Amino acid sequence: MIAYILRSLAQGALVLLAVAFIAFSMFRFVGDPVANMVGQEATLQDRQELRERLGLERPFPVQFAIFVGNAVQGDFGVSYRQARPVSALMVERLPATLELAILSALFATVIGVGFGVYAAIRRDGFLANVVMTVSLVGVSLPTFLIGIGLIYVFAVELRWLPSFGRGETVRIGWWTTGLLTESGLKSLVLPVLTLGFFQLTLIMRLVRSEMLEVMRADFIRFARARGIPERTIEFRHALRNTLIPVVTIAGLQLGSIIAFAIVTETVFQWPGLGSLFVQAVQFADVPVMAAYLVFVAFVFVVVNLLVDLTYVLLDPRLRGGKALAK
Amino acid sequence: MSDPVLSVRDLRVEFHTRRGVLKAIDGVSFDIGKGEVLGVVGESGAGKSVTGSAVIGLIDPPGRIAGGEILLSGQRVDNLPPEEMRKVRGKRIGMIFQDPLTSLNPLYKISEQLIETITTHTDLSPTQARRRAVDLLAEVGIPAPEKRIDSYPHEFSGGMRQRVVIALALCAEPELIIADEPTTALDVSVQAQIITLLKRLGREHGTAIMLVTHDMGVIAETADRVAVMYAGRIAEIGPVHDVVQNPLHPYAEGLMGAIPTLAGEDARLVQIPGSMPRLNRIPPGCAFNPRCGYRFGRCTVDRPDPLPWRGHRVACHLYDAASGPHFLGEGKTLAAAKKPEEAA
């Protein structure tokens, strides 16, 4: 078990190192950092001095080692455009993105699993067919279209909910939250629906097909032959077996919800990491882009680790050493 | 005379498919008495397993019981509402499936699965149920049951898992156990242990056992009586030693000829030519007639019904006095019915 965790951690560290390398390479290939930092009237000598001060004259591996060393301590340098430490910018934006992403993931998972189970049990029911048809729309419509559609209906026509921003936020330590004010909560509704809708339909369709598969298994038939009530078979025997593959996909989806909230954040002008990244791209703000890249990789690695641990929790075959070799 | 534990009367099972109605079981009747083991043999697709599923009320759609009666200790069970039938399953009828590796839910300890079954069918408290579960495991021959009960299915070998499956089928002391190919997936040495166990349990508890298999060796070893099925009907049913040694039905004769034996100089196994017809291509008359060496005119027209014959019941025109010159009277065996040119 401990070896299993350690190996997952080591793999994660390797992935992060590889991503850090790609992020670091951007500095060399996306424009000259010195040209970005000094004004046009700077002399060649000024430039050379800055170059030495920033350590750009040192060999590439040494520079990379320093970059990784700083990154581990949360130091990604200074934003070219805003002239503030990148880490401070990211910490400022993090709560907005995390609140949006976690609420979306909760919404998608709870409703998705619920509807999926329902659609599997009532395979030929009218409501189940309606749900499946609507889910097809969710899978095929692009996120920004759903967002714009929701804005049109609920913000423009009905005027029930705001169309952009976070509303009022409350500061708790370094964390800002929109969960404690009415306008904050109202502002969350549309972005959460938009970001979660695709994941919801995906999870729902996955749960349904996995559940139908499991319901055909021998042990379900045997449970019926033992006279176990059908509800117990569905929720005790079938659902837990269904969740193992679902956790993988849902986990990866949680990663992409946090990492790629970019479209939703842009549509709703949400002051999160996604919109920070979009601005950084527009201004070739390489330190911010690099930090965002490493952050995304970090989120995926952590989520994957959690998924692996959830497997062990769900599936006793993975506990104890020998089964892990498979 | 007391009622037999299981009495199946003229059972018909149909599968409604897009290509029409398939008759998987077409007029099957048999009884199983207290403590008796009835072996059901036949080729794949003969309807052995479907018969078992019909008795326990678990025919997969689009299949359904189209006619006949199933009586359990004199009470009809084929027309019970689903919830009533659920209470019969596991409590009055236990079932054992072919593959012990997939019959148990991999995510729950066997203690959880046993206690779940016991508390579903009895009023025992979880603590009492656990004690009963330990006793059951001891009875089916699991060593150190107090320790092993909290293991997961994957921590047992195939044979041990089949013992757990049997313990699960025994949870509520059922009157009838349907064992559907219980040894097919196991090693030969383990097969013998499981068979011995089933026989012992049947004897000790007076449980009736319906043993479905295509393995004649297992039948000869275990069963009191045997039913030979072909294309959804019973060809011959009778005491096991009679049927094995002096089969009456030409198909039964063919099946017995295909059992390998160590003794005997003629090491060549006898094959039955051809294969069993698919359910949508059953020929008119006797379903076996295209493969039968004893066929005569009536066989391709008339469907034979099982008629009593010297303690058996056999569905073959050779044993029907109405067949005229082809009728095998008292004392004549199948050999006498061989066509002259073949007998010579």
Side-chain angles (χ1 to χ4, degrees), chain A residues 236-273:
Chain A
R236 195 173 133 87
H237 291 274
L239 186 58
R240 193 160 156 200
N241 279 281
T242 302
L243 286 181
I244 292 175
V246 170
V247 162
T248 321
I249 303 292
L252 289 178
Q253 290 303 318
L254 174 68
S256 60
I257 280 182
I258 297 176
F260 303 122
I262 297 174
V263 174
T264 307
E265 290 193 4
T266 307
V267 170
F268 290 95
Q269 294 176 38
W270 193 259
L273 288 170

Side-chain angles (χ1 to χ4, degrees), chain A residues 55-81:
Chain A
L56 293 177
E57 294 300 289
R58 290 188 236 176
F60 185 81
V62 175
Q63 286 188 45
F64 180 55
I66 291 169
F67 174 78
V68 170
N70 288 340
V72 166
Q73 295 163 44
D75 178 5
F76 285 93
V78 174
S79 160
Y80 295 159
R81 197 171 75 88

Side-chain angles (χ1 to χ4, degrees), chain A residues 218-219 221-222 224-230 232 235-238 240-241 244 314-317 319 322, chain B residues 53 58 60 86 89-90 95 97 102-108 112-113 116-117 120-121 152 154 165 168:
Chain A
D218 279 355
F219 62 83
R221 209 175 141 71
F222 186 55
R224 289 208 177 103
R226 286 189 279 140
I228 307 297
E230 196 63 16
T232 314
F235 288 99
R236 195 173 133 87
H237 291 274
R240 193 160 156 200
N241 279 281
I244 292 175
L314 281 173
D315 193 340
R317 283 166 295 186
R319 289 171 216 156
K322 71 174 180 182
Chain B
S53 303
L58 280 180
D60 292 318
R86 175 186 73 71
R89 285 198 291 269
M95 188 149 184
F97 288 105
T102 55
S103 292
L104 299 167
N105 190 331
L107 303 186
Y108 291 102
E112 295 172 286
Q113 303 189 43
E116 173 187 46
T117 315
T120 300
H121 296 297
Y152 287 95
H154 70 272
V165 168
L168 277 163

Side-chain angles (χ1 to χ4, degrees), chain A residues 171-280:
Chain A
R171 179 173 281 277
I172 303 167
W174 61 272
W175 188 275
T176 57
T177 177
L179 295 173
L180 298 175
T181 63
E182 200 196 328
S183 74
L185 285 173
K186 271 185 164 179
S187 304
L188 269 165
V189 175
L190 291 184
V192 164
L193 290 181
T194 307
L195 187 56
F197 194 59
F198 174 76
Q199 324 293 341
L200 184 157
T201 53
L202 193 78
I203 289 174
M204 186 190 116
R205 297 182 77 86
L206 187 75
V207 166
R208 176 182 177 270
S209 64
E210 286 294 336
M211 181 111 171
L212 287 176
E213 186 74 35
V214 171
M215 289 302 279
R216 279 196 293 269
D218 279 355
F219 62 83
I220 295 295
R221 209 175 141 71
F222 186 55
R224 289 208 177 103
R226 286 189 279 140
I228 307 297
E230 196 63 16
R231 288 286 140 204
T232 314
I233 291 178
E234 282 157 359
F235 288 99
R236 195 173 133 87
H237 291 274
L239 186 58
R240 193 160 156 200
N241 279 281
T242 302
L243 286 181
I244 292 175
V246 170
V247 162
T248 321
I249 303 292
L252 289 178
Q253 290 303 318
L254 174 68
S256 60
I257 280 182
I258 297 176
F260 303 122
I262 297 174
V263 174
T264 307
E265 290 193 4
T266 307
V267 170
F268 290 95
Q269 294 176 38
W270 193 259
L273 288 170
S275 48
L276 179 71
F277 176 71
V278 171
Q279 289 162 13

Side-chain angles (χ1 to χ4, degrees), chain A:
Chain A
M1 183 66 211
I2 291 177
Y4 178 65
I5 295 173
L6 282 179
R7 201 172 54 201
S8 298
L9 279 175
Q11 281 168 353
L14 222 83
V15 169
L16 282 179
L17 206 64
V19 172
F21 182 77
I22 295 170
F24 176 68
S25 313
M26 280 199 306
F27 286 99
R28 300 189 74 87
F29 299 115
V30 184
D32 177 2
V34 174
N36 282 317
M37 290 175 87
V38 297
Q40 288 209 322
E41 58 273 16
T43 61
L44 269 178
Q45 200 185 350
D46 290 343
R47 286 168 192 249
Q48 189 57 35
E49 270 170 21
L50 186 61
R51 221 173 263 282
E52 267 161 33
R53 193 145 55 80
L54 291 173
L56 293 177
E57 294 300 289
R58 290 188 236 176
F60 185 81
V62 175
Q63 286 188 45
F64 180 55
I66 291 169
F67 174 78
V68 170
N70 288 340
V72 166
Q73 295 163 44
D75 178 5
F76 285 93
V78 174
S79 160
Y80 295 159
R81 197 171 75 88
Q82 306 200 28
R84 288 176 56 199
V86 174
S87 48
L89 284 175
M90 302 227 356
V91 165
E92 228 166 65
R93 300 288 193 115
L94 190 65
T97 293
L98 278 187
E99 273 181 9
L100 174 63
I102 287 169
L103 283 178
S104 297
L106 266 177
F107 160 72
T109 311
V110 171
I111 312 265
V113 171
F115 274 167
V117 169
Y118 180 82
I121 293 173
R122 293 281 150 78
R123 184 162 28 151
D124 302 314
F126 174 73
L127 196 60
N129 280 324
V130 169
V131 166
M132 286 307 290
T133 312
V134 172
S135 78
L136 205 62
V137 176
V139 169
S140 42
L141 270 191
T143 307
F144 73 90
L145 213 63
I146 294 172
I148 291 170
L150 286 175
I151 288 176
Y152 179 73
V153 174
F154 292 101
V156 178
E157 290 295 320
L158 296 172
R159 295 180 179 280
W160 288 352
L161 297 163
S163 63
F164 70 91
R166 258 190 113 185
E168 284 173 59
T169 56
V170 177
R171 179 173 281 277
I172 303 167
W174 61 272
W175 188 275
T176 57
T177 177
L179 295 173
L180 298 175
T181 63
E182 200 196 328
S183 74
L185 285 173
K186 271 185 164 179
S187 304
L188 269 165
V189 175
L190 291 184
V192 164
L193 290 181
T194 307
L195 187 56
F197 194 59
F198 174 76
Q199 324 293 341
L200 184 157
T201 53
L202 193 78
I203 289 174
M204 186 190 116
R205 297 182 77 86
L206 187 75
V207 166
R208 176 182 177 270
S209 64
E210 286 294 336
M211 181 111 171
L212 287 176
E213 186 74 35
V214 171
M215 289 302 279
R216 279 196 293 269
D218 279 355
F219 62 83
I220 295 295
R221 209 175 141 71
F222 186 55
R224 289 208 177 103
R226 286 189 279 140
I228 307 297
E230 196 63 16
R231 288 286 140 204
T232 314
I233 291 178
E234 282 157 359
F235 288 99
R236 195 173 133 87
H237 291 274
L239 186 58
R240 193 160 156 200
N241 279 281
T242 302
L243 286 181
I244 292 175
V246 170
V247 162
T248 321
I249 303 292
L252 289 178
Q253 290 303 318
L254 174 68
S256 60
I257 280 182
I258 297 176
F260 303 122
I262 297 174
V263 174
T264 307
E265 290 193 4
T266 307
V267 170
F268 290 95
Q269 294 176 38
W270 193 259
L273 288 170
S275 48
L276 179 71
F277 176 71
V278 171
Q279 289 162 13
V281 170
Q282 280 165 357
F283 294 96
D285 196 345
V286 177
V288 174
M289 284 156 69
Y292 185 75
L293 202 61
V294 174
F295 167 77
V296 166
F298 180 73
V299 166
F300 270 92
V301 165
V302 169
V303 165
N304 258 319
L305 198 65
L306 291 178
V307 166
D308 283 353
L309 292 179
T310 316
Y311 280 158
V312 179
L313 222 68
L314 281 173
D315 193 340
R317 283 166 295 186
L318 293 175
R319 289 171 216 156
K322 71 174 180 182
L324 289 174
K326 284 179 197 166

